[in-house]
Structure formats: C-alpha cells, structure tokens
C-alpha cells in the first residue's frame, strides 16, 4: 500500500511522491493497485482533446485495477476545501471520470467541469449508476463518489 501525489506542475515520469508528484490523474488511474491512495492537489486536470470518453465505452479516467473491501483504491482531494477540477475539454459533454468493471474504488472531493465552463459535483454514487458527472457501470461493485 502506497500513497501517491498528483499536481498539474508535476511529471508523470516521476515516482509520484509528494516531493516528486505526477502531473496527471490518468497516470494514477493506470498505476494504483489495491490499498493505494492518490492525493490530488488543487488545480485543473484537462482531458486531452480527441481522447474518447464514456460515449465510446470507457471513461477517460477509468482505474486499471480494483481494490478490495479491506483495501480499496482511493483518489482524494489533497485539500477538501480546494477541490481539484477535472475538465472534459469540450469532449461532447462526456463524463471524464468513471469506473467500468472495477470494484472498491473511492473518488473523494473531485469537481467535474464540462464544456462551456459549467461544473458539476457528484456524490453518493453506488453500484450501477450513470449521471452527468460520473459513470459507474457494468460489473462494478462497492464504488463510492463522496464529498465531490
């Protein structure tokens, strides 16, 4: 179990420590394993242009691994009073954040901004749900979006 850090001015080639954080949440979703925590520092994280989102099957920020009941994978705001923003970069209103076929994932304190600058918070999404801010579908279980 490890704790990693992300800040927009970081570097995805770094080890993801607080002293040498990653630059993207995508690096975290591709790396974290059961029991790991990603603390996301304030800033705006933009979905690259042309990267398909949920309309094409899998959200941009879809964890690669699942956690367990005892050791979930957690993505959380470093500072809950200054939530990081995930911006979908005008990708047709698609949700950039989600969970497809993954279990025991926690998203805590993340703000989603859509085309035109509008923003949406999501909260209390459990199991199979889809709304404008987060997509949790398929055989996913015990996925939580809280404090967002």
């Amino acid at each position: 179990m490890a704790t990693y850090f992300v800040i927009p001015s970081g570097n995805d080639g770094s080890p993801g420590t607080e002293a040498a954080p990653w630059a993207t949440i995508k690096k975290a979703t591709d790396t974290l394993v059961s029991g790991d925590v990603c603390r996301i520092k304030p800033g705006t994280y933009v979905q690259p242009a042309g990267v398909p989102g949920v309309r094409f099957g899998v959200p941009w920020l879809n964890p690669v691994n699942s956690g367990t009941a005892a050791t979930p994978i957690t993505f959380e705001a470093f500072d809950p009073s200054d939530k990081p923003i995930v911006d979908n970069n005008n990708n047709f209103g698609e949700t950039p954040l989600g969970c497809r076929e993954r279990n025991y994932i926690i998203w805590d304190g993340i703000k989603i901004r859509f085309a035109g600058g509008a923003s949406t918070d999501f909260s209390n999404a459990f199991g199979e749900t889809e709304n404008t801010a987060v997509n949790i579908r398929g055989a996913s279980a015990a996925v939580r979006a809280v404090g967002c």
Side-chain angles (χ1 to χ4, degrees):
M1 293 188 272
T3 299
Y4 296 98
F5 295 83
V6 176
I7 190 168
S9 61
N11 181 326
D12 283 348
S14 296
T17 63
E18 189 165 16
W22 293 324
T24 66
I25 301 169
K26 179 68 175 155
K27 173 68 174 177
T29 61
D30 289 350
T31 303
L32 270 62
V33 297
S34 186
D36 287 350
V37 174
C38 178
R39 305 208 60 218
I40 305 165
K41 294 199 175 186
T44 300
Y45 300 85
V46 180
Q47 179 173 346
V51 173
V54 74
R55 181 180 300 160
F56 298 100
V58 177
W60 169 52
L61 296 176
N62 190 64
V64 170
N65 298 301
S66 289
T68 69
T71 58
I73 296 174
T74 302
F75 301 89
E76 65 185 17
F78 180 83
D79 178 358
S81 69
D82 192 3
K83 296 177 181 180
I85 298 167
V86 174
D87 188 321
N88 86 329
N89 195 21
N90 294 315
N91 279 310
F92 309 105
E94 293 181 355
T95 296
L97 193 102
C99 193
R100 286 276 175 104
E101 307 294 327
R102 301 295 177 261
N103 303 309
Y104 299 100
I105 306 293
I106 299 170
W107 293 99
D108 189 354
I110 314 298
K111 189 177 218 47
I112 307 298
R113 184 168 59 204
F114 293 95
S119 63
T120 303
D121 290 348
F122 64 86
S123 62
N124 300 322
F126 295 92
E128 176 112 6
T129 186
E130 185 170 4
N131 61 38
T132 59
V134 66
N135 180 283
I136 303 169
R137 296 180 61 83
S140 298
V143 175
R144 293 185 288 163
V146 296
C148 300

